[in-house]
Amino acid sequence: MDSKQATVRFSAFGALGDAEMLLLRDLAGPVRRLSRGDIIRGEGDATTRLYLLRSGWTASSIAVGGGGRQMIKVHVPGDMLGTPGLAMQRAPDTITALTDVALSIIELPALGRLFVETPRLAALLFLISQEERVMLMDRVATLGRADAMVRLVALVLDLHRRWLRNDPAAGLVLPLPLTQRAIADLAGLTPVHVSRVLGRLRGEGLLSWTGQEVTIHDLPALCDLVALPSRDLQADAAWIPPSAPPNRDRYPRSDGA
Amino acid sequence: MDSKQATVRFSAFGALGDAEMLLLRDLAGPVRRLSRGDIIRGEGDATTRLYLLRSGWTASSIAVGGGGRQMIKVHVPGDMLGTPGLAMQRAPDTITALTDVALSIIELPALGRLFVETPRLAALLFLISQEERVMLMDRVATLGRADAMVRLVALVLDLHRRWLRNDPAAGLVLPLPLTQRAIADLAGLTPVHVSRVLGRLRGEGLLSWTGQEVTIHDLPALCDLVALPSRDLQADAAWIPPSAPPNRDRYPRSDGA
DNA sequence: CGACTTCTTGAGGAGACTCAAGGGTGGTGG
DNA sequence: CCACCACCCTTGAGTCTCCTCAAGAAGTCG
């Protein structure tokens, strides 16, 4: 299950060959375990490594003027953490552990080898980043144009969809270890208002959100409320390079000419 | 100048070798010219090509329930258009021409060759996408946590910064062909409120925004107001593969095994 | 010149915020 | 074992930002 989750994001866009499977397994270094509340990487830190979330929940957030913060995204197992920071000298976001977590460390030279040795894997990684961009675009649309109730429902539906990808057997109850303060930081609201709106959602029988898990009572009604298109992933696009032949070293490694 | 703008986003992350320059020039196909207001690609269209903006301004937007829309981003020359859609079966956003524009069409097989033949270029393209993600993250933070005045100022500063990259000699006056309705769609506000807040910014001597251009009167004060970190790009990261040797065809093309 | 879009300004209303108080829960230490 | 503290959730009252509706001025294109 652990190793399956590590590849689920990749294989959504195309099958992995032996060479890719091998390199993907080598990509991830030692596993590190952290406790709830720990900071995995802070804003301003050097961007010298990536993380692959193995189990547990983490979140990425940006501090804004005056002690507040905007939470950008909640991560589920299989997500790669810290990638946007590669473009910057210093990390743009803080990554915190929402629960006890296990993550693999990915060193950057391994990423360089991925681009040289398995162009197919590089293209799939590129597509994962495009998917992340679309998710951020939808978030911009929601934050810019939706009221509090729609924002909260959109949040639940998004997390439900992503949770189902890791565990297709999961039903309408999903674990979601967020305090209402964290939910407010995600939705761009205040904790007080989150409490009120969740109360209304509960009262109308649409969903119930205890401290640790959400139960979706009326999925169709919720989808209706949010009214965002379904965003089907592009599986197996024709332009993606085919699996590389199994022998290595057709290209020089990045450390030797 | 045209060809310089086409490479400026790439070379921000590392120098381009001869092989990369060649492939990058071959990447872009025929130039297409469109008029102000034309739709380059609509939401739901097939995602079978990309565009490289040569001159003029375009914007990407998402329709939201009830006739409204959220504008995601304004593009300047040198930006690649349509990339997020690669991950989806149908385009998630509508790309419209804000002015008369010229753009090169990039067919997807050329993108596949880029990943196979020039891993360095692929890695740079990957980094451009990460930069776009960071810009979207900052936008999420602004929309989630900032009031109307800060949103507008953040918008101006972002566009000013990106405009300077193409024309380092540009001063504090930048062309910005957006109606107040478009500004409202960008900032997640209503046109009425945009008019009011721009009036206040003008009254306080911070900036003036006519229909076609913005003049920044007090840059330090505006930066102070927004208070987002500076986001220095990571130039020439060590993990990026070196330039490929000039001969081609070390890897099979994607059309032959 | 007329039709259209754009910008401005006013008045009233709604959604979300602030401040504040009270109850519940979990963890810590005496 | 219990007292205490810290955090979390809830609910109320008042305020403010931003929205809606509306009308008029200014500019643009056919």
Side-chain angles (χ1 to χ4, degrees), chain B residues 215-246:
Chain B
T215 307
I216 297 174
H217 293 126
D218 191 343
L219 187 55
L222 295 178
C223 292
D224 236 46
L225 198 59
V226 171
L228 267 183
S230 61
R231 307 276 182 245
D232 301 314
L233 294 185
Q234 177 68 277
D236 224 354
W239 68 270
I240 304 175
S243 290

PDB file of all heavy atoms in Angstrom, chain B residues 215-246:
ATOM      1  N   THR B 215       0.563  54.090 -13.821  1.00  0.00           N
ATOM      2  CA  THR B 215       1.759  54.811 -13.406  1.00  0.00           C
ATOM      3  C   THR B 215       1.931  54.605 -11.907  1.00  0.00           C
ATOM      4  O   THR B 215       1.031  54.912 -11.121  1.00  0.00           O
ATOM      5  CB  THR B 215       1.644  56.317 -13.708  1.00  0.00           C
ATOM      6  OG1 THR B 215       1.317  56.488 -15.078  1.00  0.00           O
ATOM      7  CG2 THR B 215       2.936  57.012 -13.390  1.00  0.00           C
ATOM      8  N   ILE B 216       3.061  54.074 -11.539  1.00  0.00           N
ATOM      9  CA  ILE B 216       3.363  53.842 -10.128  1.00  0.00           C
ATOM     10  C   ILE B 216       4.030  55.079  -9.563  1.00  0.00           C
ATOM     11  O   ILE B 216       5.085  55.498 -10.038  1.00  0.00           O
ATOM     12  CB  ILE B 216       4.284  52.616  -9.967  1.00  0.00           C
ATOM     13  CG1 ILE B 216       3.567  51.362 -10.471  1.00  0.00           C
ATOM     14  CG2 ILE B 216       4.730  52.454  -8.526  1.00  0.00           C
ATOM     15  CD1 ILE B 216       4.430  50.123 -10.482  1.00  0.00           C
ATOM     16  N   HIS B 217       3.422  55.690  -8.560  1.00  0.00           N
ATOM     17  CA  HIS B 217       3.972  56.924  -8.014  1.00  0.00           C
ATOM     18  C   HIS B 217       4.817  56.699  -6.774  1.00  0.00           C
ATOM     19  O   HIS B 217       5.734  57.443  -6.509  1.00  0.00           O
ATOM     20  CB  HIS B 217       2.826  57.907  -7.689  1.00  0.00           C
ATOM     21  CG  HIS B 217       2.113  58.409  -8.901  1.00  0.00           C
ATOM     22  ND1 HIS B 217       0.745  58.322  -9.063  1.00  0.00           N
ATOM     23  CD2 HIS B 217       2.570  58.950 -10.050  1.00  0.00           C
ATOM     24  CE1 HIS B 217       0.411  58.831 -10.249  1.00  0.00           C
ATOM     25  NE2 HIS B 217       1.492  59.208 -10.864  1.00  0.00           N
ATOM     26  N   ASP B 218       4.482  55.696  -6.008  1.00  0.00           N
ATOM     27  CA  ASP B 218       5.224  55.482  -4.761  1.00  0.00           C
ATOM     28  C   ASP B 218       5.470  53.992  -4.576  1.00  0.00           C
ATOM     29  O   ASP B 218       4.771  53.317  -3.819  1.00  0.00           O
ATOM     30  CB  ASP B 218       4.424  56.061  -3.594  1.00  0.00           C
ATOM     31  CG  ASP B 218       5.261  56.121  -2.323  1.00  0.00           C
ATOM     32  OD1 ASP B 218       6.299  55.432  -2.264  1.00  0.00           O
ATOM     33  OD2 ASP B 218       4.868  56.841  -1.396  1.00  0.00           O
ATOM     34  N   LEU B 219       6.496  53.492  -5.262  1.00  0.00           N
ATOM     35  CA  LEU B 219       6.772  52.053  -5.257  1.00  0.00           C
ATOM     36  C   LEU B 219       7.043  51.513  -3.855  1.00  0.00           C
ATOM     37  O   LEU B 219       6.469  50.492  -3.462  1.00  0.00           O
ATOM     38  CB  LEU B 219       7.943  51.752  -6.205  1.00  0.00           C
ATOM     39  CG  LEU B 219       8.263  50.289  -6.449  1.00  0.00           C
ATOM     40  CD1 LEU B 219       7.036  49.536  -6.941  1.00  0.00           C
ATOM     41  CD2 LEU B 219       9.397  50.150  -7.453  1.00  0.00           C
ATOM     42  N   PRO B 220       7.897  52.169  -3.065  1.00  0.00           N
ATOM     43  CA  PRO B 220       8.172  51.620  -1.718  1.00  0.00           C
ATOM     44  C   PRO B 220       6.910  51.483  -0.880  1.00  0.00           C
ATOM     45  O   PRO B 220       6.699  50.470  -0.208  1.00  0.00           O
ATOM     46  CB  PRO B 220       9.136  52.645  -1.119  1.00  0.00           C
ATOM     47  CG  PRO B 220       9.761  53.329  -2.290  1.00  0.00           C
ATOM     48  CD  PRO B 220       8.700  53.359  -3.349  1.00  0.00           C
ATOM     49  N   ALA B 221       6.059  52.497  -0.941  1.00  0.00           N
ATOM     50  CA  ALA B 221       4.830  52.442  -0.144  1.00  0.00           C
ATOM     51  C   ALA B 221       3.954  51.281  -0.589  1.00  0.00           C
ATOM     52  O   ALA B 221       3.339  50.593   0.234  1.00  0.00           O
ATOM     53  CB  ALA B 221       4.069  53.763  -0.268  1.00  0.00           C
ATOM     54  N   LEU B 222       3.889  51.038  -1.888  1.00  0.00           N
ATOM     55  CA  LEU B 222       3.062  49.953  -2.398  1.00  0.00           C
ATOM     56  C   LEU B 222       3.620  48.595  -1.977  1.00  0.00           C
ATOM     57  O   LEU B 222       2.879  47.708  -1.561  1.00  0.00           O
ATOM     58  CB  LEU B 222       2.970  50.037  -3.928  1.00  0.00           C
ATOM     59  CG  LEU B 222       2.252  51.276  -4.482  1.00  0.00           C
ATOM     60  CD1 LEU B 222       2.262  51.272  -5.997  1.00  0.00           C
ATOM     61  CD2 LEU B 222       0.828  51.343  -3.963  1.00  0.00           C
ATOM     62  N   CYS B 223       4.949  48.430  -2.077  1.00  0.00           N
ATOM     63  CA  CYS B 223       5.571  47.176  -1.643  1.00  0.00           C
ATOM     64  C   CYS B 223       5.282  46.937  -0.165  1.00  0.00           C
ATOM     65  O   CYS B 223       4.992  45.815   0.253  1.00  0.00           O
ATOM     66  CB  CYS B 223       7.081  47.218  -1.881  1.00  0.00           C
ATOM     67  SG  CYS B 223       7.550  47.233  -3.615  1.00  0.00           S
ATOM     68  N   ASP B 224       5.382  48.007   0.598  1.00  0.00           N
ATOM     69  CA  ASP B 224       5.097  47.942   2.020  1.00  0.00           C
ATOM     70  C   ASP B 224       3.682  47.457   2.295  1.00  0.00           C
ATOM     71  O   ASP B 224       3.432  46.655   3.184  1.00  0.00           O
ATOM     72  CB  ASP B 224       5.251  49.336   2.607  1.00  0.00           C
ATOM     73  CG  ASP B 224       6.248  49.350   3.737  1.00  0.00           C
ATOM     74  OD1 ASP B 224       7.324  48.749   3.535  1.00  0.00           O
ATOM     75  OD2 ASP B 224       5.935  49.916   4.789  1.00  0.00           O
ATOM     76  N   LEU B 225       2.764  47.982   1.504  1.00  0.00           N
ATOM     77  CA  LEU B 225       1.352  47.681   1.690  1.00  0.00           C
ATOM     78  C   LEU B 225       1.082  46.185   1.495  1.00  0.00           C
ATOM     79  O   LEU B 225       0.324  45.570   2.241  1.00  0.00           O
ATOM     80  CB  LEU B 225       0.539  48.494   0.676  1.00  0.00           C
ATOM     81  CG  LEU B 225      -0.946  48.672   0.920  1.00  0.00           C
ATOM     82  CD1 LEU B 225      -1.160  49.359   2.241  1.00  0.00           C
ATOM     83  CD2 LEU B 225      -1.562  49.484  -0.208  1.00  0.00           C
ATOM     84  N   VAL B 226       1.708  45.610   0.480  1.00  0.00           N
ATOM     85  CA  VAL B 226       1.433  44.222   0.122  1.00  0.00           C
ATOM     86  C   VAL B 226       2.168  43.251   1.033  1.00  0.00           C
ATOM     87  O   VAL B 226       1.609  42.243   1.469  1.00  0.00           O
ATOM     88  CB  VAL B 226       1.798  43.967  -1.349  1.00  0.00           C
ATOM     89  CG1 VAL B 226       1.734  42.489  -1.662  1.00  0.00           C
ATOM     90  CG2 VAL B 226       0.863  44.746  -2.248  1.00  0.00           C
ATOM     91  N   ALA B 227       3.448  43.538   1.296  1.00  0.00           N
ATOM     92  CA  ALA B 227       4.221  42.774   2.273  1.00  0.00           C
ATOM     93  C   ALA B 227       4.320  41.302   1.953  1.00  0.00           C
ATOM     94  O   ALA B 227       4.235  40.456   2.833  1.00  0.00           O
ATOM     95  CB  ALA B 227       3.643  42.980   3.677  1.00  0.00           C
ATOM     96  N   LEU B 228       4.462  40.976   0.689  1.00  0.00           N
ATOM     97  CA  LEU B 228       4.816  39.591   0.351  1.00  0.00           C
ATOM     98  C   LEU B 228       6.326  39.527   0.127  1.00  0.00           C
ATOM     99  O   LEU B 228       6.923  40.495  -0.328  1.00  0.00           O
ATOM    100  CB  LEU B 228       4.093  39.139  -0.928  1.00  0.00           C
ATOM    101  CG  LEU B 228       2.752  38.429  -0.766  1.00  0.00           C
ATOM    102  CD1 LEU B 228       2.213  37.986  -2.107  1.00  0.00           C
ATOM    103  CD2 LEU B 228       2.860  37.231   0.158  1.00  0.00           C
ATOM    104  N   PRO B 229       6.943  38.399   0.459  1.00  0.00           N
ATOM    105  CA  PRO B 229       8.390  38.272   0.253  1.00  0.00           C
ATOM    106  C   PRO B 229       8.759  38.373  -1.225  1.00  0.00           C
ATOM    107  O   PRO B 229       7.909  38.294  -2.107  1.00  0.00           O
ATOM    108  CB  PRO B 229       8.709  36.892   0.814  1.00  0.00           C
ATOM    109  CG  PRO B 229       7.405  36.183   0.925  1.00  0.00           C
ATOM    110  CD  PRO B 229       6.364  37.215   1.081  1.00  0.00           C
ATOM    111  N   SER B 230      10.047  38.503  -1.505  1.00  0.00           N
ATOM    112  CA  SER B 230      10.457  38.921  -2.841  1.00  0.00           C
ATOM    113  C   SER B 230      10.557  37.788  -3.861  1.00  0.00           C
ATOM    114  O   SER B 230      10.528  38.049  -5.055  1.00  0.00           O
ATOM    115  CB  SER B 230      11.793  39.647  -2.769  1.00  0.00           C
ATOM    116  OG  SER B 230      12.778  38.761  -2.258  1.00  0.00           O
ATOM    117  N   ARG B 231      10.708  36.522  -3.410  1.00  0.00           N
ATOM    118  CA  ARG B 231      10.658  35.429  -4.376  1.00  0.00           C
ATOM    119  C   ARG B 231      11.766  35.491  -5.424  1.00  0.00           C
ATOM    120  O   ARG B 231      11.496  35.618  -6.626  1.00  0.00           O
ATOM    121  CB  ARG B 231       9.315  35.428  -5.115  1.00  0.00           C
ATOM    122  CG  ARG B 231       8.097  35.430  -4.213  1.00  0.00           C
ATOM    123  CD  ARG B 231       7.759  34.053  -3.792  1.00  0.00           C
ATOM    124  NE  ARG B 231       6.567  34.015  -2.959  1.00  0.00           N
ATOM    125  CZ  ARG B 231       6.594  33.638  -1.690  1.00  0.00           C
ATOM    126  NH1 ARG B 231       7.729  33.287  -1.114  1.00  0.00           N
ATOM    127  NH2 ARG B 231       5.479  33.571  -1.004  1.00  0.00           N
ATOM    128  N   ASP B 232      13.011  35.404  -4.998  1.00  0.00           N
ATOM    129  CA  ASP B 232      14.115  35.360  -5.955  1.00  0.00           C
ATOM    130  C   ASP B 232      14.172  34.005  -6.625  1.00  0.00           C
ATOM    131  O   ASP B 232      14.149  32.962  -5.965  1.00  0.00           O
ATOM    132  CB  ASP B 232      15.436  35.633  -5.220  1.00  0.00           C
ATOM    133  CG  ASP B 232      15.420  36.997  -4.535  1.00  0.00           C
ATOM    134  OD1 ASP B 232      14.997  37.960  -5.190  1.00  0.00           O
ATOM    135  OD2 ASP B 232      15.816  37.070  -3.357  1.00  0.00           O
ATOM    136  N   LEU B 233      14.286  34.029  -7.939  1.00  0.00           N
ATOM    137  CA  LEU B 233      14.346  32.776  -8.682  1.00  0.00           C
ATOM    138  C   LEU B 233      15.647  32.056  -8.402  1.00  0.00           C
ATOM    139  O   LEU B 233      16.679  32.662  -8.138  1.00  0.00           O
ATOM    140  CB  LEU B 233      14.220  33.046 -10.184  1.00  0.00           C
ATOM    141  CG  LEU B 233      12.881  33.595 -10.654  1.00  0.00           C
ATOM    142  CD1 LEU B 233      12.866  33.683 -12.169  1.00  0.00           C
ATOM    143  CD2 LEU B 233      11.750  32.704 -10.168  1.00  0.00           C
ATOM    144  N   GLN B 234      15.571  30.738  -8.481  1.00  0.00           N
ATOM    145  CA  GLN B 234      16.738  29.885  -8.295  1.00  0.00           C
ATOM    146  C   GLN B 234      17.473  29.780  -9.629  1.00  0.00           C
ATOM    147  O   GLN B 234      17.052  29.046 -10.511  1.00  0.00           O
ATOM    148  CB  GLN B 234      16.274  28.500  -7.843  1.00  0.00           C
ATOM    149  CG  GLN B 234      17.352  27.471  -7.673  1.00  0.00           C
ATOM    150  CD  GLN B 234      18.265  27.781  -6.527  1.00  0.00           C
ATOM    151  OE1 GLN B 234      19.195  28.565  -6.659  1.00  0.00           O
ATOM    152  NE2 GLN B 234      17.996  27.171  -5.394  1.00  0.00           N
ATOM    153  N   ALA B 235      18.536  30.534  -9.789  1.00  0.00           N
ATOM    154  CA  ALA B 235      19.264  30.517 -11.055  1.00  0.00           C
ATOM    155  C   ALA B 235      20.330  29.432 -11.015  1.00  0.00           C
ATOM    156  O   ALA B 235      21.122  29.368 -10.089  1.00  0.00           O
ATOM    157  CB  ALA B 235      19.901  31.873 -11.324  1.00  0.00           C
ATOM    158  N   ASP B 236      20.295  28.570 -12.016  1.00  0.00           N
ATOM    159  CA  ASP B 236      21.374  27.609 -12.203  1.00  0.00           C
ATOM    160  C   ASP B 236      21.521  26.628 -11.041  1.00  0.00           C
ATOM    161  O   ASP B 236      22.589  26.455 -10.477  1.00  0.00           O
ATOM    162  CB  ASP B 236      22.704  28.369 -12.387  1.00  0.00           C
ATOM    163  CG  ASP B 236      23.494  27.760 -13.531  1.00  0.00           C
ATOM    164  OD1 ASP B 236      23.060  26.734 -14.055  1.00  0.00           O
ATOM    165  OD2 ASP B 236      24.555  28.307 -13.863  1.00  0.00           O
ATOM    166  N   ALA B 237      20.455  25.960 -10.684  1.00  0.00           N
ATOM    167  CA  ALA B 237      20.504  24.954  -9.633  1.00  0.00           C
ATOM    168  C   ALA B 237      21.424  23.807 -10.045  1.00  0.00           C
ATOM    169  O   ALA B 237      21.505  23.448 -11.228  1.00  0.00           O
ATOM    170  CB  ALA B 237      19.102  24.428  -9.353  1.00  0.00           C
ATOM    171  N   ALA B 238      22.089  23.246  -9.066  1.00  0.00           N
ATOM    172  CA  ALA B 238      23.114  22.233  -9.361  1.00  0.00           C
ATOM    173  C   ALA B 238      22.517  20.951  -9.914  1.00  0.00           C
ATOM    174  O   ALA B 238      23.182  20.220 -10.648  1.00  0.00           O
ATOM    175  CB  ALA B 238      23.921  21.939  -8.096  1.00  0.00           C
ATOM    176  N   TRP B 239      21.271  20.655  -9.593  1.00  0.00           N
ATOM    177  CA  TRP B 239      20.727  19.359  -9.995  1.00  0.00           C
ATOM    178  C   TRP B 239      20.306  19.305 -11.465  1.00  0.00           C
ATOM    179  O   TRP B 239      20.132  18.230 -12.021  1.00  0.00           O
ATOM    180  CB  TRP B 239      19.512  19.002  -9.119  1.00  0.00           C
ATOM    181  CG  TRP B 239      18.315  19.878  -9.324  1.00  0.00           C
ATOM    182  CD1 TRP B 239      18.015  21.024  -8.666  1.00  0.00           C
ATOM    183  CD2 TRP B 239      17.268  19.680 -10.270  1.00  0.00           C
ATOM    184  NE1 TRP B 239      16.840  21.553  -9.137  1.00  0.00           N
ATOM    185  CE2 TRP B 239      16.367  20.749 -10.119  1.00  0.00           C
ATOM    186  CE3 TRP B 239      16.985  18.693 -11.230  1.00  0.00           C
ATOM    187  CZ2 TRP B 239      15.205  20.869 -10.894  1.00  0.00           C
ATOM    188  CZ3 TRP B 239      15.832  18.813 -11.986  1.00  0.00           C
ATOM    189  CH2 TRP B 239      14.959  19.894 -11.817  1.00  0.00           C
ATOM    190  N   ILE B 240      20.162  20.442 -12.111  1.00  0.00           N
ATOM    191  CA  ILE B 240      19.692  20.461 -13.493  1.00  0.00           C
ATOM    192  C   ILE B 240      20.720  19.804 -14.409  1.00  0.00           C
ATOM    193  O   ILE B 240      21.907  20.088 -14.301  1.00  0.00           O
ATOM    194  CB  ILE B 240      19.441  21.908 -13.950  1.00  0.00           C
ATOM    195  CG1 ILE B 240      18.457  22.591 -12.993  1.00  0.00           C
ATOM    196  CG2 ILE B 240      18.921  21.951 -15.363  1.00  0.00           C
ATOM    197  CD1 ILE B 240      18.242  24.035 -13.298  1.00  0.00           C
ATOM    198  N   PRO B 241      20.267  18.908 -15.280  1.00  0.00           N
ATOM    199  CA  PRO B 241      21.216  18.232 -16.174  1.00  0.00           C
ATOM    200  C   PRO B 241      21.987  19.239 -17.006  1.00  0.00           C
ATOM    201  O   PRO B 241      21.450  20.303 -17.335  1.00  0.00           O
ATOM    202  CB  PRO B 241      20.308  17.376 -17.068  1.00  0.00           C
ATOM    203  CG  PRO B 241      19.035  17.233 -16.332  1.00  0.00           C
ATOM    204  CD  PRO B 241      18.880  18.458 -15.485  1.00  0.00           C
ATOM    205  N   PRO B 242      23.246  18.919 -17.336  1.00  0.00           N
ATOM    206  CA  PRO B 242      24.037  19.824 -18.178  1.00  0.00           C
ATOM    207  C   PRO B 242      23.512  19.799 -19.609  1.00  0.00           C
ATOM    208  O   PRO B 242      22.692  18.949 -19.959  1.00  0.00           O
ATOM    209  CB  PRO B 242      25.438  19.243 -18.089  1.00  0.00           C
ATOM    210  CG  PRO B 242      25.212  17.797 -17.838  1.00  0.00           C
ATOM    211  CD  PRO B 242      23.983  17.716 -16.980  1.00  0.00           C
ATOM    212  N   SER B 243      24.006  20.696 -20.425  1.00  0.00           N
ATOM    213  CA  SER B 243      23.614  20.719 -21.824  1.00  0.00           C
ATOM    214  C   SER B 243      23.959  19.388 -22.483  1.00  0.00           C
ATOM    215  O   SER B 243      25.019  18.820 -22.253  1.00  0.00           O
ATOM    216  CB  SER B 243      24.347  21.836 -22.565  1.00  0.00           C
ATOM    217  OG  SER B 243      23.857  23.082 -22.131  1.00  0.00           O
ATOM    218  N   ALA B 244      23.044  18.910 -23.316  1.00  0.00           N
ATOM    219  CA  ALA B 244      23.295  17.660 -24.018  1.00  0.00           C
ATOM    220  C   ALA B 244      24.341  17.896 -25.092  1.00  0.00           C
ATOM    221  O   ALA B 244      24.461  18.995 -25.605  1.00  0.00           O
ATOM    222  CB  ALA B 244      22.008  17.158 -24.651  1.00  0.00           C
ATOM    223  N   PRO B 245      25.119  16.872 -25.406  1.00  0.00           N
ATOM    224  CA  PRO B 245      26.062  16.981 -26.528  1.00  0.00           C
ATOM    225  C   PRO B 245      25.292  17.305 -27.802  1.00  0.00           C
ATOM    226  O   PRO B 245      24.130  16.940 -27.942  1.00  0.00           O
ATOM    227  CB  PRO B 245      26.705  15.597 -26.595  1.00  0.00           C
ATOM    228  CG  PRO B 245      25.832  14.701 -25.779  1.00  0.00           C
ATOM    229  CD  PRO B 245      25.173  15.571 -24.765  1.00  0.00           C
ATOM    230  N   PRO B 246      25.927  17.985 -28.737  1.00  0.00           N
ATOM    231  CA  PRO B 246      25.197  18.524 -29.883  1.00  0.00           C
ATOM    232  C   PRO B 246      24.589  17.492 -30.822  1.00  0.00           C
ATOM    233  O   PRO B 246      23.617  17.803 -31.494  1.00  0.00           O
ATOM    234  CB  PRO B 246      26.254  19.354 -30.618  1.00  0.00           C
ATOM    235  CG  PRO B 246      27.554  18.860 -30.103  1.00  0.00           C
ATOM    236  CD  PRO B 246      27.319  18.429 -28.702  1.00  0.00           C
TER     237      PRO B 246
END
